[in-house]
Amino acid sequence: MLVLGIETSCDETGVALFDTEQGLLAHALYSQIDMHADYGGVVPELASRDHVRKLLPLCDQVLAAAGRTRRDIEGIAYTAGPGLVGALMVGGAVAHALGLALDVPVLGVHHMEGHLLAPMLEERPPAFPFVALLVSGGHTQLVRVDGIGQYQMLGESVDDAAGEAFDKTAKMLGLDYPGGPRVAALAEKGRAGRYRFPRPMTDRPGLDFSFSGLKTYTLNTVNEASAAGTLDEQTRADIALAFESAVVDTLVIKCRRALEATGCKRLVMAGGVSANKRLRAALEGMAEKLAATVFYARPEFCTDNGAMIAYAGAQRLLAGQRDGNRIVTVPRWPMDTLPPIHQPRSTGLVD
């Protein structure tokens, strides 16, 4: 089955073509980062308008790269949520218009399920069951995954997501949007040990997260250094390193607890923050001590992209799921409410 995947949940316009027999054929991504950077964050109305301009040309670009035409498409998947409702509507409207014109099934896909399944696009995908760390600008969650749609929520952030904390810390340090990669880059110049920030909610049992207090602690540290006249470039780098280390340590501690509690030996890391090099190295070191394995997508599939939506949508379209004639948009959508399906049709799963 040849599936066109469309991602428009926020400020990335992603399109991909996935064949259930041949795998990923082509993908393309247009980022609106430069447009939103002037505002220090995503402006929803501007994001929606840019998706309108870019989506169909990207669809044609991907089809041309794969040597296919619109008539070859056998199914269409789009991000139905969570996300910005206007941006979601653009993707849903284009998907349903194409589906109606081509007389092919259309399905709205859960954005975070797309992230969770993105490592399945790699040469050595993980086998079920596994524990998934979903860490992005809007979500920080630990999930036990026994199959597609078979999700048990183990823990999540009670306030801010880790990615949001990165973005807010970037603003405190005078860094441009998007904040996560810029904080990580600045942290590379930091000196370890000058500051030690708290590791929130690690001194108590459980798998939930909290990053609002860490944000406040960072702001107070920045303000104190500024008031003392010591907020130079090196101090900013030291603060960035202390903040990043606190987030990484917190995530690693919780992941270790989740693996030990479930008995799983596979950890999947997905979402935009999963591209963080310090986090990847720390999780791999932790997993090695537990005789476990860490899986994650290549960097280009960690952030929002059409390939993950095409893959997730293909599995559910194969299972017979359809939208019908109604465009589905769900700005807030608990992932553990999704219906289960059989294991995806793929080979080479790593035990």
Side-chain angles (χ1 to χ4, degrees), residues 28 39 185 219 288:
Y39 302 93
L219 179 60
E288 184 177 356

Side-chain angles (χ1 to χ4, degrees), residues 4-8 12-17 26-32 50-66 70 94 98 306:
L4 180 72
I6 294 173
E7 157 60 23
T8 61
E12 313 277 2
T13 311
V15 178
L17 202 61
H27 65 96
L29 183 72
Y30 177 81
S31 175
Q32 303 175 3
D50 212 44
H51 287 312
V52 171
R53 288 189 288 266
K54 299 298 192 304
L55 189 48
L56 280 177
L58 278 180
C59 289
D60 291 336
Q61 177 183 329
V62 166
L63 286 166
R70 292 184 183 180
V94 170
L98 287 174

Side-chain angles (χ1 to χ4, degrees), residues 20-43:
T20 54
E21 300 298 329
Q22 301 178 47
L24 184 64
L25 302 184
H27 65 96
L29 183 72
Y30 177 81
S31 175
Q32 303 175 3
I33 285 177
D34 290 342
M35 177 177 66
H36 296 291
D38 291 340
Y39 302 93
V42 177
V43 181

Side-chain angles (χ1 to χ4, degrees), residues 59-339:
C59 289
D60 291 336
Q61 177 183 329
V62 166
L63 286 166
R68 306 296 178 90
T69 69
R70 292 184 183 180
R71 288 295 173 188
D72 294 319
I73 297 172
E74 297 173 289
I76 302 172
Y78 67 96
T79 301
L84 303 175
V85 66
L88 295 171
M89 282 297 297
V90 175
V94 170
H96 273 269
L98 287 174
L100 183 63
L102 300 174
D103 193 25
V104 298
V106 179
L107 180 66
V109 172
H110 194 290
H111 178 75
M112 294 310 295
E113 182 174 66
H115 276 303
L116 185 151
L117 297 177
M120 297 295 185
L121 293 164
E122 302 304 317
E123 291 184 7
R124 300 179 71 248
F128 302 115
F130 55 77
V131 169
L133 170 66
L134 302 177
V135 56
S136 66
H139 298 81
T140 303
Q141 300 174 329
L142 279 168
V143 186
R144 179 188 168 106
V145 181
D146 290 295
I148 296 180
Q150 300 176 48
Y151 308 132
Q152 177 189 355
M153 193 65 62
L154 301 174
E156 58 187 329
S157 179
V158 298
D159 41 54
D160 298 335
E164 180 184 356
F166 265 100
D167 287 339
K168 294 294 176 57
T169 295
K171 287 186 177 181
M172 298 173 200
L173 296 173
L175 302 175
D176 291 334
Y177 172 84
R182 301 187 189 280
V183 170
L186 183 59
E188 291 294 324
K189 305 173 185 176
R191 298 172 298 187
R194 182 178 178 187
Y195 296 101
R196 178 172 173 80
F197 287 6
R199 275 60 176 161
M201 295 185 71
T202 58
D203 59 349
R204 67 192 76 174
L207 296 172
D208 285 335
F209 302 89
S210 171
F211 293 103
S212 64
L214 178 59
K215 238 174 32 176
T216 302
Y217 193 97
T218 304
L219 179 60
N220 290 339
T221 304
V222 170
N223 288 341
E224 288 170 7
S226 180
T230 59
L231 191 62
D232 55 16
E233 185 66 14
Q234 185 58 61
T235 298
R236 291 167 67 247
D238 295 342
I239 292 173
L241 176 59
F243 167 81
E244 183 183 49
S245 298
V247 173
V248 168
D249 286 353
T250 299
L251 294 173
V252 170
I253 290 169
K254 298 288 183 159
C255 285
R256 182 184 185 110
R257 288 182 188 176
L259 290 174
E260 292 174 339
T262 61
C264 289
K265 292 297 183 180
R266 290 174 291 274
L267 175 67
V268 165
M269 178 173 57
V273 182
S274 70
N276 183 281
K277 294 179 181 178
R278 195 178 302 275
L279 177 59
R280 290 191 175 200
L283 284 175
E284 288 174 354
M286 177 274 294
E288 184 177 356
K289 294 177 182 177
L290 297 180
T293 307
V294 181
F295 298 86
Y296 39 75
R298 70 197 80 165
E300 62 190 311
F301 293 156
C302 289
T303 54
D304 296 349
N305 63 88
M308 68 182 193
I309 301 304
Y311 178 86
Q315 310 313 313
R316 291 189 173 276
L317 285 166
L318 282 176
Q321 295 183 21
R322 307 286 188 270
D323 266 2
N325 295 323
R326 183 173 65 90
I327 299 173
V328 177
T329 56
V330 192
R332 296 184 181 275
W333 190 3
M335 195 171 66
D336 54 6
T337 63
L338 295 174

